[in-house]
Amino acid sequence: MKKRSVFLFLAALIPGVLITMGCATGGTNREAASVGSNVDTAPTKKVVLDWSNRSLGMPSSPPWLAALVLGNSNQIKSDFGIPPTDRVKFSIAQNRNRENARVQAGLLFAAKTANELKQYVITGAGSTLDEGELDIVEEITTAAKLTITGNEPVADFWQLVETEDVNTHQKSQEYLYYIVYTMSDSTWKALVRKYTNDIIGQLPNRAVQTNVARAFGDIDAVASREQEMTEAQFKAQIAAAEQSAKTNERIRLAEINQQTAANNQAEETIRAEAAANANAQRAALRSGDPVRVYAASVTPADVDWITALSTASNVLY
């Protein structure tokens, strides 16, 4: 079982603080919003220098994109003639090269969607599972791969973002690339069912298989609802998720290093941390709080698209 950082415990306690930070740091000028970054980085100022169809009068943050990232697809459906019952999903990537960002966004779509489905399974089935069973389901869903069929790209959008360290004034530029996909509601429901069945098939315990299967109605109900957030909720969610992914990676590397050292005290510390993390993770996954569930669900493998969403949260809102 992967050991998780104690940040999950902190995230379980301070979502209100994160939301307050999100509100306080966002600028009203989207082209030049000063933001307070996560606690492990220097404060930065992010400016959108260029973007898709700028010469044709397209705004740097089109209303349909800002709404979609928050979970509301009504605007893009209206603007692009997408059937009201279709599902709209997006992927995002960040890279110094625009073409590389586009390719990476396509590759990350399955990983980002798999994380979303993982949350649905754990949220829908979590209340029926005991601690050991929840651990098993979390481990299986973390490792699960997803193949998506029946989706169609309908729009893309890029932004060239300049980041300036407000202390050193050092600047860097990277592209954000968004790709929007649509699929029929029946295709989405089939994907949710296949993913859930694949998870059930990998569970080693028949009792756990039965509990997850019985919870499919709840899983499907959660997956069927469009989960819209406020700007403050989105900022808090992404800030917590980004910090969680980075901290988990730091802990993972520390554990690898400890394996080469004969230090009983260090091993005892790691075991104690693992127990605290497991308890905090279960509480977060069962809380129903989107910020806590989101933070608890990410892994170091998710850091690429989480980092891109972090940049998006600074330039879109």
Side-chain angles (χ1 to χ4, degrees):
M1 177 67 62
K2 294 182 178 179
K3 299 182 180 71
R4 296 192 177 256
S5 79
V6 290
F7 173 78
L8 292 180
F9 180 67
L10 298 176
L13 294 177
I14 58 172
V17 175
L18 291 170
I19 290 175
T20 301
M21 291 171 59
C23 291
T25 58
T28 57
N29 184 343
R30 290 181 179 175
E31 273 78 32
S34 297
V35 297
S37 299
N38 294 328
V39 294
D40 63 341
T41 60
T44 59
K45 177 181 179 180
K46 296 184 183 294
V47 181
V48 180
L49 300 178
D50 198 7
W51 55 90
S52 294
N53 295 324
R54 178 184 181 186
S55 61
L56 300 179
M58 176 73 72
S60 66
S61 299
W64 62 262
L65 178 62
L68 181 63
V69 172
L70 293 179
N72 187 327
S73 63
N74 292 333
Q75 185 71 54
I76 191 170
K77 286 179 178 178
S78 175
D79 289 357
F80 287 81
I82 299 170
T85 57
D86 277 11
R87 290 288 176 156
V88 180
K89 303 292 178 181
F90 76 95
S91 187
I92 185 173
Q94 181 173 310
N95 195 282
R96 291 183 180 181
N97 179 279
R98 192 171 78 190
E99 178 61 17
N100 289 348
R102 183 191 67 80
V103 172
Q104 188 177 15
L107 295 174
L108 289 176
F109 180 57
K112 184 173 177 294
T113 305
N115 180 270
E116 180 182 346
L117 292 174
K118 169 186 175 178
Q119 293 177 61
Y120 295 153
V121 169
I122 291 176
T123 301
S127 62
T128 69
L129 304 173
D130 63 29
E131 291 183 0
E133 292 172 340
L134 186 61
D135 285 344
I136 293 171
V137 172
E138 199 278 335
E139 185 174 26
I140 295 297
T141 53
T142 295
K145 304 298 181 184
L146 182 67
T147 299
I148 303 176
T149 59
N151 60 298
E152 178 184 353
V154 294
D156 60 3
F157 193 84
W158 58 264
Q159 297 165 317
L160 176 60
V161 180
E162 180 179 80
T163 300
E164 178 183 359
D165 186 304
V166 299
N167 294 324
T168 66
H169 300 293
Q170 183 174 357
K171 297 180 180 180
S172 62
Q173 295 180 8
E174 288 191 295
Y175 287 91
L176 276 182
Y177 209 103
Y178 311 79
I179 301 179
V180 182
Y181 298 88
T182 184
M183 65 184 78
S184 68
D185 185 62
S186 60
T187 297
W188 172 250
K189 287 183 176 297
L191 180 63
V192 174
R193 180 174 290 279
K194 183 180 185 306
Y195 177 85
T196 306
N197 288 339
D198 287 347
I199 296 301
I200 292 171
Q202 297 178 63
L203 294 172
N205 186 301
R206 184 169 293 277
V208 185
Q209 291 178 332
T210 301
N211 283 338
V212 176
R214 287 175 176 171
F216 180 75
D218 294 329
I219 295 168
D220 185 56
V222 174
S224 295
R225 294 194 298 269
E226 194 165 74
Q227 319 266 335
E228 185 176 4
M229 297 170 284
T230 65
E231 293 178 11
Q233 288 171 334
F234 176 69
K235 283 176 174 286
Q237 184 183 76
I238 297 305
E242 183 180 32
Q243 189 61 56
S244 180
K246 289 179 178 179
T247 307
N248 284 337
E249 176 64 7
R250 177 184 58 77
I251 294 296
R252 185 185 71 84
L253 294 175
E255 291 169 348
I256 293 174
N257 292 335
Q258 283 296 335
Q259 291 173 5
T260 64
N263 188 326
N264 291 334
Q265 184 176 359
E267 291 177 3
E268 183 177 343
T269 299
I270 289 175
R271 285 195 296 270
E273 183 183 28
N277 289 339
N279 290 333
Q281 179 189 2
R282 295 185 197 104
L285 293 174
R286 285 185 166 139
S287 69
D289 183 324
V291 173
R292 295 172 63 186
V293 172
Y294 202 86
S297 73
V298 301
T299 71
D302 300 319
V303 71
D304 285 341
W305 57 266
I306 289 292
T307 299
L309 280 174
S310 179
T311 300
S313 75
N314 292 327
V315 299
L316 290 177
Y317 313 110

